Every structure is written in C-alpha cells, then in structure tokens.
Amino acid sequence: MVNKSGRCIATVIILLSVLLTSCGEKKKNTANTVPPADSLKSAILGLDKQISGDVSNADLYHSRARLYLLDHQFDPALRDINKAISLSPKTPSFYITLSDIFLLMGRPDNCRDALLKAVELDPGNNEAILKLAKLNLIIKDYKMTFEYVRKALDIDKTNPRAYFIRAIALLESHDTVRAVADLQTAVDQDQGYYDAYIQLGKVFSLRNNILAVDYLKNALRLKPESKEALYMLGMFYQENEQYEKATDTYMQLEKADSAFKEAPYNIGYINLVYLKDFSKAVTWFSKALGCDPGYIEAYYNRGLAYEYMGEFEKSYKDYKRTLELHVNYQKAIDGLNRLDKKMGRK
C-alpha cells in the first residue's frame, strides 16, 4: 500500500509574503491580501490622473510603484520608485520599496544595497533591518541573519517578526530547541501570527507531540480554510490513530479546496488500511482521481481495494493503468501477478 502523501508537509516559510507590508509599521502577521486585478488596475489609473496633475509629488510615484509591484509589473514599478527617489532622495521608505522590487526581480545584491541605504538614512529603521535579516535568511547566510535580528531586537524587544526570522534560521541550522523558544515568543507577542503557529504545528507534529493540535487550531482560528493547517492537522490525527477526526479534517480540507487531491486520497487510505472499508476506499480514491487523473498511487490503491473486494477485473484495470503511468511500478506488477493466479490466467 502506498500513502505518498505521508508526511509531505511543506515548510511554510512565507518570507516574500511579508515584503510588502507598510514600511516601519507594526502590524499583525496575518497573510497579506492582494487586491483583485481589476481593483489594482483601477487604483493605478486613479494614481495616473493624480500624477498628471502633480508631477513632482514623490509620494504618488511611490504609491503607484507599490501597486505595480503587487501586480507583478516590475519594470514600471522600478521606473516609478526611481522617479520617487530622484524627487526625494533621503526618504528611507522609498529605498525599502526599491529593495522589494529588486528582490522579486531576482536581484539580491541590488536589494541589499537599497536596504543598506535605507539604514544609512535611518539607523533605527526596524523594517529595513528586518528585511536585511530576511534577505540573508533567503541566501542562507545565517551569521548575518542573526546579526540583523540582534540589531532589530536592540531597537525593539517587542518584535515578533524578528523572533520568527531567527526561528526559521535556527530551524534551518537544526537548532530546534531555540527555534521553538523564538516561535513561542513570537506568538506570545502577536497572537495573530499565523506563520509562527504553522511552524510550531509542524515542529510538534514531527515530534508527535499533542501540542501540535493546539498550534494548528490557532492557525485555523486565523485562517479557517488554510489548506496547510488542515492537512497537517489531518495527518497528525491519522498518524495518531484518530481516524474519525482525521477524516473530518480532510473533509473540511476538501470543502475548502475541492481540487486538493490528497484530502480524498488520505480518506481512501484510512478506509483501505485501517478501517478495512474497501467500498468507501474505492469511493474516495475515485474522488482523488477526479482531481488528478494521473494520480498513480490512487490508481494502485483503488486497484488494491477492488482486489480485497473480489472485484478482480476492476482491480486488474487499475493495476494496468498504474503501469501505463509508471512503467515497472513493482507493486502494480505484483498485483497483476496475484490476480493472474486468482483468475486462473497462469
């Protein structure tokens, strides 16, 4: 039997999602909401009109640059922020926006230069220092990540983003104990810090510690339809033999995203392996195949469920389809060999 979903819990380090927060503003670390494309276009058009009537207003160019950035129009964003800087070269927030643009354009050296300029203009700018910490985290320079986090905490001890960044660097450096301490400090300081709850949920899930449930439920309190939180919670329940809770959680996940194939697949797996309800297993594996007609593991496990039910022809077809999708898939080959014997073909 194959449960390839297994513990494939993606590490949720949403570094870029916090790049577009307002400069210097303390805010809760909930996910950023990007306006719909039509709203962005309308807002940009509105700024076009304002700029045409006030061509020397640096703030207007800055505002339009950030809208272009949200819309992933990097070239016009770069033109606007450079215009803003030319009009007001000593405004730190403009260089922070410039750094955001460079980072998303894949130009980390330029990003660093822009942030260093912001810090030169305003040595106590927590936003710029945190972005330098994140930049060094992205390029895996942990020594400098820790140094910039230290500087940020010297400026403001109540600094949940600083603790979060350091926690991720510690996790990547395999120092889980200190990382957990920083993540817990982050959520103590900001009880709306979704990303920190997710990371704590992941760490405690890997430890098979029941605290994972509390942290993931806190994440779901903030984002009730979070696919990553629901999936991790479902996996925790599944791996701790709480199959009813696991199934309920996966059903919530399927409701949140009907295309999330792992949700019906895992329900099928629970019914196949643990509950021995092969008919339900077939139903759920079929739903998974509706999400992804090339889902090899779902074909194989549905074939296995059919085999256990004695529906050998259907089982045979699923094993054959598995091999069409994955040549030399040994478990499917073994399944066909078993069926040949059961059906008297050999």
Side-chain angles (χ1 to χ4, degrees), residues 87-235:
L87 292 167
S88 182
K90 295 186 177 181
T91 304
S93 62
F94 293 175
Y95 292 96
I96 293 174
T97 294
L98 179 62
S99 77
D100 293 345
I101 297 167
F102 280 139
L103 184 59
L104 292 175
M105 292 178 75
R107 296 165 61 177
D109 290 341
N110 296 118
C111 173
R112 179 188 295 105
D113 290 344
L115 289 170
L116 290 172
K117 181 64 177 179
V119 173
E120 177 188 325
L121 292 168
D122 179 9
N125 192 306
N126 184 65
E127 182 74 12
I129 292 169
L130 284 178
K131 285 181 183 285
L132 280 164
K134 285 182 286 188
L135 175 62
N136 281 281
L137 176 58
I138 290 169
I139 64 175
K140 300 190 182 302
D141 186 339
Y142 301 123
K143 181 179 178 181
M144 290 307 299
T145 300
F146 295 138
E147 177 62 19
Y148 282 116
V149 167
R150 183 193 63 76
K151 289 181 179 180
L153 291 173
D154 284 345
I155 294 167
D156 186 357
K157 291 293 183 185
T158 305
N159 206 332
R161 290 166 61 195
Y163 288 106
F164 178 77
I165 293 165
R166 188 168 68 185
I168 300 305
L170 289 166
L171 284 173
E172 293 184 7
S173 303
H174 308 292
D175 189 344
T176 307
V177 173
R178 291 173 62 203
V180 166
D182 273 353
L183 288 169
Q184 288 173 330
T185 300
V187 296
D188 285 344
Q189 292 186 354
D190 180 359
Q191 295 180 14
Y193 207 149
Y194 169 84
D195 293 337
Y197 285 123
I198 284 290
Q199 289 298 324
L200 284 164
K202 179 183 177 182
V203 169
F204 282 97
S205 290
L206 292 171
R207 292 178 176 179
N208 204 33
N209 188 311
I210 192 65
L211 284 174
V213 172
D214 292 333
Y215 287 123
L216 292 171
K217 284 186 174 180
N218 270 315
L220 288 167
R221 170 178 57 83
L222 298 167
K223 293 177 64 176
E225 295 190 347
S226 165
K227 290 180 282 188
E228 58 188 338
L230 286 168
Y231 183 72
M232 281 194 283
L233 183 59
M235 282 300 306

Side-chain angles (χ1 to χ4, degrees), residues 250-303:
Y250 291 138
M251 289 178 74
Q252 283 182 259
L253 177 51
E254 188 191 30
K255 185 177 180 181
D257 182 359
S258 60
F260 196 98
K261 65 182 182 180
E262 288 83 2
Y265 176 85
N266 282 11
I267 297 175
Y269 190 84
I270 287 169
N271 281 281
L272 173 66
V273 177
Y274 305 114
L275 305 182
K276 309 301 181 185
D277 191 332
F278 306 124
S279 179
K280 282 187 179 179
V282 165
T283 297
W284 286 104
F285 287 135
S286 296
K287 285 190 175 184
L289 288 165
C291 300
D292 179 5
Y295 201 164
I296 295 167
E297 292 79 13
Y299 269 115
Y300 170 73
N301 280 322
R302 189 176 71 173

Side-chain angles (χ1 to χ4, degrees), residues 304-323:
L304 191 59
Y306 278 135
E307 183 180 350
Y308 289 154
M309 293 167 67
E311 297 190 32
F312 298 148
E313 290 292 348
K314 291 180 179 178
S315 177
Y316 201 90
K317 288 180 181 179
D318 276 353
Y319 290 152
K320 288 285 285 185
R321 181 60 180 148
T322 302
L323 288 172

Side-chain angles (χ1 to χ4, degrees), residues 57-83:
N57 189 324
D59 289 331
L60 291 177
Y61 288 104
H62 179 229
S63 296
R64 191 170 66 179
R66 297 198 68 78
L67 289 177
Y68 278 134
L69 182 57
L70 284 172
D71 201 33
H72 291 87
Q73 296 189 54
F74 300 134
D75 289 337
L78 192 57
R79 284 196 298 271
D80 270 0
I81 197 60
N82 282 330
K83 179 66 174 177

